[in-house]
Amino acid sequence: MKIWEKGIPVDAKIEQFTIGQDRELDLYLAKFDVLASKAQANMLAQVGLLTSEENQQLQQGLTELADQVEAGTFTIEDEFEDVHSKIESYLTEKFGDAGKKIHTARSRNDQVLTAIQLFLKDYTERAAAKIVQLAEVMLQKAEVHKADLLPGYTHFQAAMPSSFGLWFSAYAEHLLLDLALFEAAHTVADQNPLGSGAGFGSSFPINRQQTTQELGFGNMAVSSVGAQMLRGKTEKTLAFALAGCAATLAKMSYDLVLYNSQDLAFVELPAAFTTGSSIMPHKKNPDVFELIRARCNALQALPNTITLTISNLPSGYHRDFQILKELLFEPMTQFLDILDIVLFALPQLRIKPNLLAQDKYDGVFSVENINQLIQTGTPFREAYQQVGRAVNEGSYVPHKEFQTTHLGSVHNLSLEEIEAKLARVRQGSRVLGGEQ
């Protein structure tokens, strides 16, 4: 069955190509298409296009389908083009004319778009909750390890004293920045396009405010033309959010791969979290973070891939948009899997103590020693040259006692400031259920 069926046969090869992966990918949308159809039926009854009895029948059938989706038994058989035709066929088979009426004042354009908007909105909320959870873990680790120093690096050269407290809190703070991208994606997804039809509205007296409220959308996409222009914009905005957070997680993973090496040995993964070599029995490879790095690097290509797929399209619906499901849905699942594995692995990361006691890191104290000379009245340039000569001549003896005081430094992490940021994000973020 096709919901656009007119009795004109379509070549089987053309049909197979145009359907593509819709039957598999539409399973992501089934729950949300059912919800939108429920709202559509309620609205049609409210404006007199369905009888109360017909609406009751449709609500019963749609609830049955929702239960199937929840139980994992909902399928889209080969005789159906997509989830939308499967749902309408189910309702028609059970209730006859009532099922045939569900598509009144609706096009497949706004039907698909509404399901996608709901799906992506729900996804941003689930992903954002995990990102917040990860930021909280980072802040907890920062507090526990605030006194554990490590050498900070620039140009892959040991540079100045840092700490694991500073390292963990840095990633916590950047995850909060990444949440701003998910907030933007949620805002774009939180627009109700239902009722825009094929992009030009309907002559029926439909009530779009009713469906907007029932579906929990914060806003209505008012212009019917503009509503259709959400297709592609919502997917691309989410892709930028995925790419932004993926960049943060890729950088973190690269750090941990380096820190776990024998040469640096700043951290240690539990043996059960590592893999081995087929010929080198001593190896304990941090494959989990290497795979996170690779997957996150791939995710950073998503905005460009989506942009190239839909660039230079005019307004209105185009079948090009179908490809976006293939490009986006599986990476969305991978991103949640990445967050889950980081949340699982990071709390069990072991931190090596007393790293800066090693002689090879003596040089990282040179800046602090310059600062100490400055505090005795030596001008900066003279202090810099004095310490520099000692380093070059091999006579440099570090003074390893130092104390930082400014906000966000080794000895003043100001974790409460980052926690306050997190609280403000929670309170003001719609994607986290807060009120703006």
Side-chain angles (χ1 to χ4, degrees):
M1 175 189 171
K2 308 176 186 67
I3 58 177
W4 52 270
E5 182 64 59
K6 299 183 289 290
I8 303 173
V10 177
D11 184 273
K13 195 173 185 68
I14 296 296
E15 181 177 359
Q16 181 179 0
F17 182 80
T18 55
I19 291 175
Q21 299 180 40
D22 267 5
R23 294 188 189 95
E24 296 82 10
L25 295 172
D26 278 4
L27 292 176
Y28 287 96
L29 302 177
K31 169 184 176 180
F32 304 98
D33 198 70
V34 168
L35 289 174
S37 293
K38 278 176 163 285
Q40 175 79 357
N42 282 332
M43 184 273 295
L44 291 176
Q46 189 263 337
V47 301
L49 293 172
L50 285 177
T51 67
S52 176
E53 181 182 358
E54 287 171 330
N55 185 33
Q56 289 175 6
Q57 290 176 328
L58 292 175
Q59 296 300 327
Q60 175 192 327
L62 289 165
T63 298
E64 292 170 1
L65 288 169
D67 291 341
Q68 292 177 22
V69 173
E70 182 67 24
T73 59
F74 178 85
T75 57
I76 304 173
E77 293 82 1
D78 288 348
E79 62 263 32
F80 300 109
E81 183 179 32
D82 52 28
V83 66
H84 320 293
S85 55
K86 166 63 186 279
I87 289 174
E88 184 170 327
S89 175
Y90 183 88
L91 297 174
T92 300
E93 186 176 336
K94 288 205 67 165
F95 306 114
D97 285 349
K100 296 177 182 178
K101 292 181 179 181
I102 188 63
H103 205 59
T104 305
R106 183 170 72 172
S107 165
R108 188 166 68 163
N109 289 9
D110 64 333
Q111 183 178 0
V112 173
L113 181 52
T114 303
I116 289 176
Q117 291 288 106
L118 288 169
F119 170 52
L120 298 187
K121 178 187 173 186
D122 176 78
Y123 177 86
T124 59
E125 293 168 0
R126 290 187 291 130
K130 291 180 185 292
I131 293 169
V132 165
Q133 187 180 353
L134 182 55
E136 290 171 341
V137 169
M138 291 286 190
L139 287 172
Q140 292 165 6
K141 298 286 280 186
E143 175 64 32
V144 170
H145 295 289
K146 61 185 178 183
D148 289 318
L149 300 183
L150 80 156
Y153 275 71
T154 63
H155 305 276
F156 278 114
Q157 303 287 308
M160 290 178 64
S162 181
S163 73
F164 279 102
L166 205 55
W167 186 86
F168 281 115
S169 64
Y171 281 103
E173 198 166 11
H174 273 263
L175 287 171
L176 297 184
L177 293 176
D178 296 331
L179 278 171
L181 301 175
F182 278 88
E183 184 74 31
H186 184 271
T187 298
V188 178
D190 196 23
Q191 315 287 324
N192 179 27
L194 190 58
S196 60
F200 314 103
S202 170
S203 58
F204 290 108
I206 59 176
N207 186 341
R208 298 189 64 206
Q209 289 89 349
Q210 179 180 336
T211 59
T212 298
Q213 183 175 3
E214 182 172 341
L215 290 171
F217 280 110
N219 300 279
M220 181 200 303
V222 178
S223 166
S224 294
V225 172
Q228 291 299 315
M229 290 165 59
L230 286 168
R231 193 72 190 271
K233 180 182 285 288
T234 307
E235 291 95 331
K236 192 195 305 191
T237 308
L238 176 58
F240 275 110
L242 292 171
C245 192
T248 301
L249 296 177
K251 189 182 293 289
M252 177 207 72
S253 298
Y254 199 165
D255 280 354
L256 291 176
V257 169
L258 288 174
Y259 292 176
N260 187 70
S261 68
Q262 293 95 331
D263 293 329
L264 296 183
F266 296 166
V267 303
E268 182 181 6
L269 284 170
F273 283 36
T274 63
T275 62
S277 164
S278 62
I279 63 170
M280 295 172 285
H282 68 285
K283 296 292 291 298
K284 294 180 180 179
N285 300 322
D287 286 5
V288 60
F289 288 109
E290 292 174 345
L291 289 171
I292 290 170
R293 180 176 60 192
R295 291 193 182 280
C296 285
N297 286 340
L299 286 171
Q300 291 179 73
L302 267 179
N304 188 53
T305 304
I306 289 176
T307 298
L308 290 175
T309 303
I310 60 174
S311 63
N312 299 323
L313 291 179
S315 61
Y317 176 78
H318 311 277
R319 196 62 178 266
D320 310 54
F321 294 129
Q322 176 181 318
I323 306 301
L324 299 183
K325 291 189 286 188
E326 298 177 20
L327 297 177
L328 190 59
F329 286 7
E330 182 58 29
M332 288 167 61
T333 301
Q334 290 178 0
F335 180 72
L336 293 181
D337 290 342
I338 289 168
L339 290 173
D340 284 339
I341 200 67
V342 174
L343 282 166
F344 176 68
L346 204 64
Q348 302 183 65
L349 191 69
R350 297 170 186 160
I351 305 302
K352 298 289 188 67
N354 303 318
L355 294 173
L356 294 188
Q358 301 173 71
D359 291 344
K360 64 180 179 180
Y361 294 127
D362 284 355
V364 302
F365 294 96
S366 64
V367 176
E368 297 301 333
N369 297 158
I370 291 170
N371 294 345
Q372 291 161 3
L373 288 172
I374 292 171
Q375 290 170 350
T376 65
T378 305
F380 168 79
R381 186 55 57 201
E382 291 182 16
Y384 176 85
Q385 293 173 350
Q386 181 179 331
V387 174
R389 282 194 298 270
V391 170
N392 290 334
E393 294 168 357
S395 60
Y396 171 68
V397 178
H399 302 284
K400 296 187 177 183
E401 297 298 323
F402 72 103
Q403 185 70 33
T404 64
T405 58
H406 70 75
L407 288 174
S409 61
V410 171
H411 297 111
N412 186 10
L413 297 178
S414 309
L415 298 181
E416 68 281 359
E417 297 286 338
I418 303 176
E419 289 166 353
K421 280 188 180 184
L422 175 56
R424 289 193 295 271
V425 167
R426 281 186 178 281
Q427 183 176 7
S429 170
R430 291 192 184 279
V431 75
L432 292 170
E435 292 297 329
Q436 291 181 326

